[in-house]
Amino acid sequence: MEKVIIEVGSTNTKVDLFNGENVIHLETTTIEFKKNYKNQNKLDEKDIEVLINLVKKYAQKYSNIYTCGTSIFRSLKDAEKEKFLNLFSEKTGYEFNIISQEKENELTVYGTVRNVNSRVAVFIGGGGSTEIAIYDGKIEEMVNSPIGVIDIMNKFPDLGNDLATTSLEEVRDAIKLNLPKGKADILILAGGGHKNFALNSGISYEKNTLFSDELLPIMMDIETRKKDTKKYYEEISLDEIRSRVADPNWWYATRAMCAFVLNVAEEIGAKYIIPTDISMVYGLLEE
């Protein structure tokens, strides 16, 4: 049976279709819930309207729709949360499910490691939160931080310009994360968009030779990633990338995300990084 899963984050909303056999990504759209919440101290009514219209669009074709939210929705005050949930249900006919940070981490990890037989770390970076897990046949350790790329973008808005003026080193110093005690040679990037970034940003990558999984086809060694991240800050034109991709708004916080990745990779002792576009939709389907 076909099922549409709409995953709403602080900045990016991802829509995927499970056709009974495979997951087909339908779209990623930018709805800046966290950024606008900070400016207004409440959910922006226009953002809510965009989300509701997105659900209605897919409801015209599909009857089985599951919508869930992470990050910013977890921090809503009870009265505001109830108001939003009631409005969403009234306007769409569907429930809006708020996923805890721990559950989001677990779902994404298990969706990511289906074909992994070695010890790995899984990084799940978002607009308003960061989750990291150490996995070796089971989840051995999970750590969560209520900080994401939008928090860093608020501090260093120039990172969204054509070229950054803030240095990579300064950004990395500003990122304060809860980090796992465990180590792993392989760091898998999940949460959506990391493979898209690698394929379109101009950084180097190669075929994944560590294990076989069609959803994890590429990788890079840590030294290459460090060198190319510095290049992404200082030499690669963000405007040029935006001019040729279908999702230009998505690229706004990619420099910030790169800094998060390097901090985590170095802390866990990673030798290789595997970027994926896997989100928690794969874990949701396993349940």
Side-chain angles (χ1 to χ4, degrees):
M1 182 178 181
E2 290 184 324
K3 183 174 185 177
V4 170
I5 297 178
I6 302 175
E7 181 183 336
V8 189
S10 291
T11 306
N12 293 314
T13 294
K14 298 180 282 287
V15 184
D16 294 285
L17 169 67
F18 178 64
N19 63 9
E21 295 182 359
N22 300 306
V23 174
I24 302 168
H25 183 63
L26 298 179
E27 71 170 284
T28 297
T29 187
T30 299
I31 310 177
E32 295 185 335
F33 279 107
K34 182 166 185 174
K35 180 180 178 181
N36 293 330
Y37 189 95
K38 183 178 180 180
N39 292 335
Q40 301 180 30
N41 199 32
K42 65 175 184 177
L43 290 177
D44 184 277
E45 292 182 2
K46 292 181 180 178
D47 290 343
I48 297 173
E49 183 179 2
V50 171
L51 174 60
I52 288 172
N53 288 337
L54 181 71
V55 175
K56 286 182 175 180
K57 180 179 78 171
Y58 284 98
Q60 292 176 3
K61 185 174 181 180
Y62 304 99
S63 60
N64 191 3
I65 297 177
Y66 177 88
T67 305
C68 59
T70 60
S71 190
I72 184 63
F73 299 97
R74 295 191 283 254
S75 62
L76 297 178
K77 295 177 182 178
D78 289 344
E80 185 178 15
K81 184 183 299 183
E82 182 178 2
K83 179 181 178 181
F84 166 71
L85 295 177
N86 289 338
L87 177 64
F88 183 88
S89 177
E90 176 188 337
K91 295 294 185 179
T92 68
Y94 294 96
E95 291 185 3
F96 187 94
N97 302 275
I98 299 176
I99 307 295
S100 71
Q101 192 168 32
E102 293 76 13
K103 189 65 174 179
E104 178 185 7
N105 193 350
E106 181 181 306
L107 288 168
T108 307
V109 170
Y110 284 123
T112 301
V113 300
R114 297 167 305 152
N115 296 313
V116 175
N117 297 314
S118 56
R119 182 179 180 83
V120 299
V122 179
F123 165 91
I124 307 160
S129 63
T130 302
E131 295 84 42
I132 308 162
I134 302 294
Y135 176 88
D136 194 354
K138 63 179 181 179
I139 296 176
E140 294 187 345
E141 185 180 4
M142 287 197 300
V143 292
N144 305 317
S145 298
I147 177 176
V149 293
I150 296 305
D151 299 289
I152 295 301
M153 293 304 299
N154 288 336
K155 188 170 186 177
F156 305 113
D158 65 280
L159 298 183
N161 295 342
D162 184 34
L163 295 174
T165 53
T166 303
S167 70
L168 172 60
E169 292 74 21
E170 186 176 355
V171 176
R172 291 188 62 184
D173 286 343
I175 297 171
K176 307 300 180 185
L177 294 172
N178 298 320
L179 293 162
K181 296 178 181 178
K183 306 295 182 181
D185 287 345
I186 302 169
L187 176 62
I188 301 176
L189 311 180
H194 297 282
K195 186 180 75 170
N196 176 50
F197 169 77
L199 295 178
N200 292 288
S201 64
I203 71 169
S204 303
Y205 59 88
E206 58 186 298
K207 180 180 178 181
N208 179 8
T209 58
L210 301 172
F211 50 82
S212 179
D213 188 321
E214 62 180 7
L215 296 178
L216 293 83
I218 63 174
M219 69 179 194
M220 66 278 299
D221 65 82
I222 184 63
E223 293 305 320
T224 295
R225 182 72 182 221
K226 288 180 184 178
K227 173 178 64 67
D228 284 356
T229 298
K230 194 168 183 64
K231 181 180 177 182
Y232 189 60
Y233 268 66
E234 298 175 356
E235 301 177 31
I236 294 177
S237 166
L238 205 54
D239 287 348
E240 188 280 325
I241 294 172
R242 290 183 179 119
S243 71
R244 57 178 166 80
V245 297
D247 51 354
N249 290 336
W250 179 85
W251 290 81
Y252 169 72
T254 50
R255 287 195 177 105
M257 184 62 78
C258 285
F260 275 74
V261 169
L262 287 188
N263 280 16
V264 174
E266 287 196 347
E267 182 65 26
I268 67 164
K271 298 177 182 177
Y272 302 98
I273 294 176
I274 299 177
T276 80
D277 288 341
I278 294 174
S279 61
M280 70 176 175
V281 59
Y282 295 90
L284 285 167
L285 292 171
E286 292 288 326
E287 287 201 320

